[in-house]
Amino acid sequence: MVSFRLDVEQEAPFSDFYNHRHIPDLMRAVPGITAAWRYQEHHVAGSLKYYRKQFLTLFECETRPDAERVLEAIAAWPAPELQSWQARAMHDVEPPCLYLERWAHPRKPADGNFAGRPFFMVSVELAAGREQQFNDWYEQNYLPKNVADVPSWAGCRRYSSVGRQPARHHAIYEAADLAGLDASLEAMRAPFRLVENMAWKQWDQGDRPVITWEDAATFKPIFRTP
């Protein structure tokens, strides 16, 4: 995963460069990448985020060793034009990071993960030494109930970073399309789910919260290869 924000007036020329030169050149130069997707932060009209939306690039690899070799190759691969973009238009750049799937709901999209669908992503960092308590509640209680209560989610998975300090965890809920995304978010926030959703506060409040950083955003697909 690569994450960054981009000045809105530069989105068109940057996307032409990034989608049709940078990513194809990278995939030719770095064996092991099987697919690439780009996503743009969604539902930001009317907010300051509109002027610097978040963009995600996801590179898929067959195995963890493949992904580790890809990270090494990207770090060594010369990309002067990308560095120029970083200097003048990109912000909050998160370097490439390896993420491994740690949990997946049995409901799975028929055409595979990240097949051009929008998603809702909930991200957290956790206090050192207290991760297991939260992970057990989240993966054994909260996520299964959430997906069961929202039949329109196409699938739900959770990923954890490798080698990043502090570790970051992403729960990704995929929807069939943008209308399905809106409907799923509305259903997730239905009154009968208030108790489940409010339970989150036990983890991010108090003198020693387990959740030390959190974010939630929706994303829509803007590029895919092959």
Side-chain angles (χ1 to χ4, degrees):
M1 177 183 286
V2 178
S3 171
F4 52 82
R5 293 190 178 276
L6 188 67
D7 291 335
V8 65
E9 66 271 17
Q10 298 296 332
E11 287 179 16
F14 176 85
S15 292
D16 182 61
F17 151 72
Y18 198 77
N19 295 356
H20 303 297
R21 295 202 301 279
H22 177 73
I23 289 178
D25 288 350
L26 179 62
M27 293 180 71
R28 282 191 292 268
V30 182
I33 301 175
T34 59
W37 298 269
R38 289 193 68 214
Y39 294 84
Q40 171 185 300
E41 192 171 10
H42 186 49
H43 282 320
V44 293
S47 73
L48 290 177
K49 281 187 173 183
Y50 171 81
Y51 297 97
R52 283 187 180 175
K53 291 188 284 289
Q54 185 179 7
F55 292 81
L56 301 178
T57 308
L58 305 181
F59 296 103
E60 183 181 58
C61 302
E62 289 288 348
T63 67
R64 176 171 176 171
D66 285 339
E68 291 171 342
R69 285 191 289 269
V70 165
L71 284 178
E72 294 173 357
I74 290 176
W77 189 59
E81 193 169 356
L82 181 62
Q83 293 169 3
S84 174
W85 276 105
Q86 289 179 347
R88 69 180 188 269
M90 298 168 68
H91 309 273
D92 301 332
V93 178
E94 283 276 342
C97 182
L98 170 61
Y99 282 84
L100 298 178
E101 183 182 290
R102 57 169 294 128
W103 179 90
H105 192 273
R107 187 187 306 164
K108 299 182 184 299
D111 54 352
N113 301 334
F114 299 112
R117 282 179 294 272
F119 59 78
F120 174 53
M121 185 168 77
V122 179
S123 307
V124 297
E125 294 174 4
L126 304 170
R130 305 173 67 196
E131 301 95 339
Q132 194 59 50
Q133 184 182 9
F134 174 84
N135 291 335
D136 288 346
W137 168 78
Y138 197 54
E139 296 172 359
Q140 297 174 21
N141 185 302
Y142 181 82
L143 288 175
K145 287 183 178 179
N146 192 342
V147 180
D149 288 342
V150 184
S152 50
W153 287 131
C156 180
R157 301 174 304 283
R158 193 164 182 243
Y159 297 84
S160 291
S161 63
V162 175
R164 187 187 189 280
Q165 293 298 328
R168 184 165 289 184
H169 312 275
H170 299 300
I172 294 179
Y173 303 83
E174 286 194 272
D177 49 34
L178 291 176
L181 179 64
D182 291 342
S184 298
L185 289 172
E186 183 178 0
M188 191 172 72
R189 295 162 181 157
F192 79 91
R193 284 197 42 81
L194 181 62
V195 172
E196 288 293 328
N197 291 331
M198 293 298 288
W200 186 271
K201 288 189 174 183
Q202 68 179 307
W203 304 102
D204 69 356
Q205 294 186 352
D207 296 333
R208 297 177 62 245
V210 176
I211 298 175
T212 58
W213 175 88
E214 59 190 298
D215 190 36
T218 54
F219 293 88
K220 65 179 181 180
I222 58 171
F223 175 82
R224 175 183 176 183
T225 186

